[in-house]
Amino acid sequence: MGQIVVENLAKAFHIAERQAGLLGAIRGVVARKHREVRALDGVSFSLEAGELVGYIGPNGAGKSTTVKILSGILVPSAGRCEVIGRTPWKNRIEHVAHIGVVFGQRTQLWWDLPVIESFELLRDIYRVPQSDYIKHRDELIALLDLEKLLDSPVRQLSLGQRMRCDLAASLLHAPPILFLDEPTIGLDAVSKLAVRDFVKRLNRERGVTVILTTHDMDDIEALCTRVIVIGDGKILSDGTLADLRNRVTRERWLTVDLAEANGAIDDPDVTLIRREGQRVCMSFDPQRISPAALIGRITQKHAVHDLFVENPPIETIIAKLYAEGRG
Amino acid sequence: MRRYWAVISTRFRMLLQYRAAAVAGIFTQSFWGFVRIMVLEAFYRSNTGASPMNLPEMAAYVWLGQALLAILPWNADPEVRSMVRTGSVAYELARPIDLYGMWYARSIAIRTAPTLLRCIPMTIFAMFVLPLIGLGEWRLIPPPSVACGLAFAIVVVGAIALSCAFTMLVNLAVLWTMSVDGLTVIAVTLVIVGSGMVIPLPLFPAWSQWIFRSLPFAGMVDLPFRLYSGNIPARDLVWLMLHQWIWVAMLVLLGRWWLSHLTQRMVVQGG
Amino acid sequence: MNAIALYFRYIGLSLRGQIQYRASFIMQSLGHLLVTAIEFLGIWALFHRFGNLRGWKLAEVGMLYGLISMIFATADALAKGFDMFGDIVKAGDFDRLLVRPRSTVLQLLGQELTLKRVGRFLQGLIVFVWAIVSLPIDWTFAKVSLLLAAFVGGVCLFMGIVVIQATITFWTTETLEMMNAFTYGGEAASEYPLAIYRGWFRKFFLLIVPLGCANYLPAIAIMGRPDPLHTPQVVQWLSPLAGVVFLTIALQFWKIGVRHYTSTGS
């Protein structure tokens, strides 16, 4: 049996609806109409210890609802969920002592305190014995290169520095499971790499199970062996990243910055996606024409400033998954 | 006709959205009103002969105080405070406009908008609902004569002008000390005591009356309220207005002088 | 580390944070002292004019005033985390407390001990000391204990009100201004003897939100003064318990609120 087991998890919220018109507003004072929103609608998956899973989907798909349930913040309406044999919402305090959670947009450090003091307070909150604390702390300081940051108040740190400290803070009690909610959001490129590198080592070397929610496809590509895609509260896909791409679309995108102001690219193997001024973005199927051949052909015909090939953004893949699911 | 209906219904819908806040505000303010009236009533009944005001006058004083709470210069303009905190006030000072006039205009909005929102329901409650729930002796009496009502309406305008002129001084104190505590706390203390919000000014010892009466704060709350209830006869209107507007003129002149002084200092320091 | 030791760790850090801005702290405390002291100025002026308040003397009212001021200042400083709970929920910071293996109540109490309330406490203490020195009280061990119990009970009571105010936030997301009537308004009403108020008002502050048990009843027992309300002496001596009971009930309500939060997530 897995370390994390989720079976038929469902969560419905009741949202008060504002009614139209003056009469509606008056009626709303007396009796509000409620609309049921199913944030999760029968989600099941199972994770073994040591997996690193990307959990992705557009806003409102149910990502953070799942993470909140797994970390004991939210109680589901139906379904079963076990994390290391415990039901998160049954015994919150016992459960959260064995997990680490990082919310990308909020820090868990104390704003006015030097970082090291936040660490010491967390040691006391999590009841970490002093010897273990020193060991974990020193390892994390080395891995994340925190030595120079320890005496600064958190309010003086940059976003990237703060995220590194936050990662350390969530791991001082050496939890076997780490939930990362958008850990790279808003970070500069260097910090993103540092965070990814750290998460990878944590997973490969320590065997920490990591569930990562993100919008950044590069995070997923750099880190995850397995990707779960959620949309409208249902799991749309669960497998490796390559599986996901192959299942949904093989296409790649080519973006070209043309030298001429009104130039048009007319090639039988590409489909125009959009153009913004001199920038043209097109999709193509790499099995029909190799990227090298396509680039060669286009640079022959047009004066080009710059160009690059990329995977379609995750939004596109998910949009296609939706279309499939509904079609 | 349809157009007016649309305007009224939009307004009304907006008000309904604030209903919780409005109801809570009325509740809290009437609670305070009850406590103050009960305390004053208890003192009054302990030694009726010693009181310069009768019970309906006291009740009117308390309820008008609850209804018009927000016109008092309690604090600095929040926008000025945040400009000082972030340092963007330097740009404001460098602009080629009449800064005093602009800030003064904003003070008027700050002092009147919240008052308008709350004084109508509060007045309805104190004037009409109280008698219905058996507390008629505490109600807000209407002005005893048309003259009192008119005189009150006239001095309220002066009270707002006075309050805004004082708000400007608080703003400038914030600008001068670059912090919100300190001077502003002393200013607020003066306002609360001197305007009659702690206890009605006539109830302070007789020997202190001339001090309170000559300070500008009396013109913000105390004198208008007593004019309303007839505690001060309506024929004294001219004197009250003179008191208010002389103070307005002095405070405005002081504020303008202080602002130009501060602006020069800023320019010399290079912002 | 046990809960109490952890609480003091939290508070130690909170105090250090506040002392960093020493000048501002001193100004704020003084300001607080000044602004709250004018309340007593008003009481003094009313006594000066009317001579007595339904048979109560200024020193007697001063004792009530001083006691409730100290109680309120202490509760206000201790329960700051609950007082600003609306902002905590709105910012989503309550989730962070839930993913830590400690009770939410402990974590919120540990949020801040508001040092500047010392200004209000001090002016209450000054009035209180003046009052008990001017009153002919024959102090016994029992009376000193009752005084301390009244202080603790009163602090519990006000904290209970703030906990309820915070709990309501789970449903409304806005902090209700209405609760100010019971905190600030309750404090203001308790500065005077409960006996001067109307029956419905007294009943509310004895039976529903038992603020009368915080200072009025214990003070009567300590002064050895006849109670115009004719409460039995046993009730006067047991009155501090009301605050403890009230806080216990408030904390049960808090639990229901947390359960509601975890089922809706707002």
Side-chain angles (χ1 to χ4, degrees):
Chain A
M1 207 181 82
Q3 190 183 32
I4 298 177
V5 181
V6 172
E7 263 174 27
N8 279 320
L9 213 54
K11 180 73 201 172
F13 295 111
H14 294 272
I15 293 175
E17 247 181 6
R18 190 155 287 157
Q19 292 168 51
L22 181 59
L23 271 177
I26 294 170
R27 224 179 288 134
V29 178
V30 186
R32 287 213 169 130
K33 250 194 199 164
H34 289 271
R35 182 164 52 98
E36 197 188 64
V37 175
R38 283 159 179 261
L40 290 181
D41 192 4
V43 166
S44 306
F45 58 83
S46 164
L47 261 64
E48 298 303 323
E51 279 197 83
L52 204 170
V53 178
Y55 196 66
I56 59 177
N59 287 334
K63 273 181 316 195
S64 57
T65 304
T66 315
V67 172
K68 280 184 175 177
I69 291 174
L70 286 174
S71 49
I73 295 170
L74 210 54
V75 183
S77 336
R80 196 169 77 89
C81 169
E82 272 186 19
V83 179
I84 332 180
R86 287 186 200 89
T87 305
W89 58 92
K90 287 275 166 62
N91 186 348
R92 179 183 70 79
I93 288 183
E94 181 62 20
H95 166 70
V96 296
H98 294 89
I99 60 168
V101 186
V102 174
F103 296 112
Q105 272 155 319
R106 305 180 211 129
T107 179
Q108 55 180 321
L109 304 162
W110 280 260
W111 202 242
D112 284 322
L113 293 184
V115 175
I116 188 73
E117 294 203 16
S118 285
F119 286 0
E120 279 164 16
L121 189 52
L122 285 165
R123 168 198 66 195
D124 297 337
I125 290 173
Y126 282 89
R127 300 183 168 91
V128 186
Q130 181 65 11
S131 56
D132 292 1
Y133 165 71
I134 291 175
K135 188 168 144 254
H136 302 154
R137 181 196 65 190
D138 291 347
E139 283 173 5
L140 290 163
I141 289 173
L143 273 172
L144 287 159
D145 190 22
L146 302 179
E147 195 63 57
K148 290 194 200 90
L149 307 178
L150 291 176
D151 295 321
S152 324
V154 175
R155 57 167 191 270
Q156 290 173 7
L157 300 183
S158 74
L159 205 56
Q161 291 170 330
R162 210 187 72 198
M163 179 46 66
R164 272 150 56 205
C165 294
D166 255 307
L167 279 167
S170 64
L171 292 163
L172 288 168
H173 57 296
I177 298 174
L178 179 63
F179 297 119
L180 294 173
D181 195 11
E182 307 269 3
T184 55
I185 199 160
L187 297 193
D188 60 279
V190 179
S191 301
K192 274 187 187 177
L193 288 180
V195 167
R196 281 180 203 141
D197 186 50
F198 172 75
V199 172
K200 191 184 252 169
R201 290 185 66 177
L202 190 74
N203 173 257
R204 307 280 145 86
E205 293 171 19
R206 313 280 156 105
V208 174
T209 312
V210 179
I211 294 188
L212 166 75
T213 76
T214 184
H215 274 100
D216 190 334
M217 205 51 184
D218 295 334
D219 285 348
I220 300 286
E221 258 167 302
L223 292 172
C224 302
T225 42
R226 178 177 166 193
V227 182
I228 297 175
V229 183
I230 184 167
D232 277 346
K234 292 194 179 71
I235 287 188
L236 300 178
S237 153
D238 183 354
T240 65
L241 189 60
D243 284 348
L244 172 63
R245 284 199 186 289
N246 289 340
R247 221 193 93 193
V248 178
T249 175
R250 294 190 306 256
E251 76 180 27
R252 312 276 308 240
W253 285 13
L254 171 67
T255 303
V256 178
D257 284 343
L258 292 172
E260 61 224 273
N262 292 311
I265 292 181
D266 188 24
D267 193 288
D269 287 322
V270 301
T271 320
L272 181 73
I273 295 170
R274 63 172 175 268
R275 57 172 307 166
E276 293 150 0
Q278 275 137 287
R279 171 163 285 199
V280 186
C281 183
M282 298 153 287
S283 72
F284 66 96
D285 181 347
Q287 293 192 337
R288 268 173 57 195
I289 177 161
S290 80
L294 180 65
I295 290 169
R297 217 155 67 194
I298 286 176
T299 44
Q300 262 179 4
K301 277 197 231 161
H302 305 274
V304 169
H305 273 320
D306 194 7
L307 55 75
F308 54 93
V309 177
E310 62 185 339
N311 281 317
I314 189 67
E315 289 76 12
T316 315
I317 298 207
I318 287 160
K320 292 211 176 191
L321 266 178
Y322 274 140
E324 263 178 38
R326 286 186 181 137
Chain B
M1 198 58 215
R2 282 255 310 270
R3 225 181 45 191
Y4 293 112
W5 173 245
V7 171
I8 293 167
S9 95
T10 322
R11 282 276 115 196
F12 189 60
R13 236 175 299 164
M14 258 171 61
L15 284 177
L16 279 177
Q17 277 185 20
Y18 292 109
R19 69 193 186 278
V23 168
I26 300 285
F27 178 87
T28 313
Q29 261 151 276
S30 16
F31 180 93
W32 283 97
F34 284 141
V35 172
R36 298 189 68 199
I37 288 181
M38 278 190 275
V39 168
L40 290 177
E41 186 189 18
F43 273 110
Y44 179 77
R45 292 198 194 286
S46 307
N47 187 355
T48 311
S51 184
M53 302 171 90
N54 62 31
L55 206 53
E57 284 167 358
M58 284 185 184
Y61 198 103
V62 169
W63 289 124
L64 289 175
Q66 296 308 105
L68 301 176
L69 201 61
I71 69 165
L72 278 178
W74 295 102
N75 49 14
D77 180 347
E79 220 171 307
V80 171
R81 280 162 62 169
S82 81
M83 278 193 299
V84 165
R85 206 174 40 236
T86 58
S88 60
V89 72
Y91 300 109
E92 190 96 350
L93 291 175
R95 271 187 210 138
I97 41 158
D98 176 13
L99 198 57
Y100 189 94
M102 210 179 79
W103 283 12
Y104 191 94
R106 215 164 48 208
S107 303
I108 297 178
I110 290 168
R111 296 293 165 226
T112 52
T115 307
L116 278 178
L117 202 69
R118 292 212 163 164
C119 79
I120 293 166
M122 195 68 229
T123 308
I124 292 173
F125 175 82
M127 202 177 273
F128 303 111
V129 179
L130 280 186
L132 296 179
I133 56 175
L135 296 171
E137 55 184 325
W138 292 349
R139 81 188 176 114
L140 171 63
I141 46 160
S145 68
V146 180
C148 289
L150 277 176
F152 173 70
I154 292 169
V155 288
V156 162
V157 176
I160 292 169
L162 198 50
S163 170
C164 294
F166 193 79
T167 304
M168 281 304 294
L169 293 185
V170 182
N171 287 344
L172 294 170
V174 171
L175 190 61
W176 184 45
T177 58
M178 290 292 161
S179 90
V180 285
D181 2 283
L183 267 183
T184 54
V185 174
I186 296 170
V188 167
T189 311
L190 281 176
V191 168
I192 298 174
V193 179
S195 63
M197 291 313 287
V198 177
I199 58 169
L201 294 186
L203 300 183
F204 275 105
W207 53 262
S208 64
Q209 289 301 318
W210 68 272
I211 306 176
F212 285 113
R213 217 173 306 139
S214 42
L215 288 174
F217 313 109
M220 295 174 189
V221 161
D222 179 79
L223 299 176
F225 290 3
R226 286 158 64 196
L227 200 56
Y228 172 97
S229 65
N231 185 266
I232 297 177
R235 62 173 180 274
D236 286 359
L237 172 68
V238 181
W239 295 111
L240 295 196
M241 284 178 67
L242 212 58
H243 172 275
Q244 281 182 329
W245 290 101
I246 287 176
W247 269 115
V248 170
M250 294 204 311
L251 295 184
V252 168
L253 283 177
L254 177 65
R256 280 193 174 278
W257 171 80
W258 197 3
L259 180 62
S260 73
H261 181 76
L262 287 175
T263 316
Q264 269 164 21
R265 193 188 67 177
M266 292 279 186
V267 172
V268 171
Q269 284 177 350
Chain C
M1 190 173 258
N2 69 34
I4 292 169
L6 181 61
Y7 175 72
F8 283 106
R9 276 279 282 139
Y10 269 124
I11 293 312
L13 292 172
S14 156
L15 294 186
R16 271 195 23 215
Q18 293 173 65
I19 286 173
Q20 278 178 17
Y21 310 95
R22 187 170 9 173
S24 150
F25 155 69
I26 291 171
M27 282 310 292
Q28 285 181 333
S29 306
L30 279 176
H32 222 66
L33 194 152
L34 197 63
V35 169
T36 49
I38 56 177
E39 283 295 317
F40 194 70
L41 175 75
I43 296 178
W44 169 83
L46 288 172
F47 269 97
H48 184 273
R49 175 158 300 268
F50 293 98
N52 78 94
L53 173 60
R54 305 243 119 179
W56 293 76
K57 292 193 298 250
L58 177 61
E60 290 171 324
V61 173
M63 181 171 170
L64 295 173
Y65 173 90
L67 187 53
I68 204 71
S69 293
M70 290 189 287
I71 287 172
F72 187 69
T74 310
D76 205 15
L78 288 173
K80 176 73 177 172
F82 284 98
D83 197 31
M84 60 184 191
F85 188 67
D87 299 334
I88 294 181
V89 166
K90 237 186 276 168
D93 287 342
F94 189 56
D95 289 356
R96 211 179 53 200
L97 302 192
L98 284 173
V99 298
R100 289 192 185 136
R102 292 290 185 162
S103 87
T104 50
V105 173
L106 172 68
Q107 292 187 66
L108 281 169
L109 287 179
Q111 204 76 185
E112 184 179 314
L113 178 73
T114 318
L115 212 50
K116 63 181 176 202
R117 299 283 179 261
V118 77
R120 179 171 219 165
F121 185 92
L122 269 181
Q123 67 93 20
L125 182 69
I126 293 166
V127 173
F128 183 78
V129 169
W130 167 78
I132 59 171
V133 169
S134 346
L135 288 168
I137 300 173
D138 37 339
W139 286 99
T140 60
F141 177 72
K143 282 187 177 180
V144 175
S145 316
L146 178 60
L147 178 62
L148 292 177
F151 179 75
V152 174
V155 171
C156 286
L157 180 60
F158 273 111
M159 288 176 76
I161 299 173
V162 181
V163 168
I164 289 174
Q165 172 188 316
T167 307
I168 294 172
T169 324
F170 284 124
W171 282 273
T172 59
T173 65
E174 296 289 329
T175 306
L176 278 189
E177 188 192 327
M178 208 149 113
M179 292 303 286
N180 283 351
F182 304 123
T183 51
Y184 292 96
E187 196 269 351
S190 309
E191 289 170 2
Y192 294 94
L194 197 65
I196 67 163
Y197 298 111
R198 294 283 168 99
W200 52 270
F201 195 85
R202 285 201 310 258
K203 277 186 200 116
F204 182 83
F205 278 116
L206 277 175
L207 301 174
I208 311 215
V209 182
L211 275 170
C213 300
N215 67 342
Y216 178 75
L217 293 179
I220 286 221
I222 291 171
M223 289 188 257
R225 185 191 197 287
D227 179 7
L229 302 176
H230 309 295
T231 47
Q233 279 214 331
V234 193
V235 174
Q236 295 169 12
W237 281 83
L238 290 179
S239 58
L241 282 177
V244 180
V245 173
F246 189 82
L247 178 60
T248 314
I249 295 170
L251 288 174
Q252 294 307 311
F253 184 44
W254 171 255
K255 275 190 193 157
I256 295 173
V258 174
R259 213 173 303 146
H260 172 80
Y261 179 85
T262 57
S263 67
T264 59
S266 41

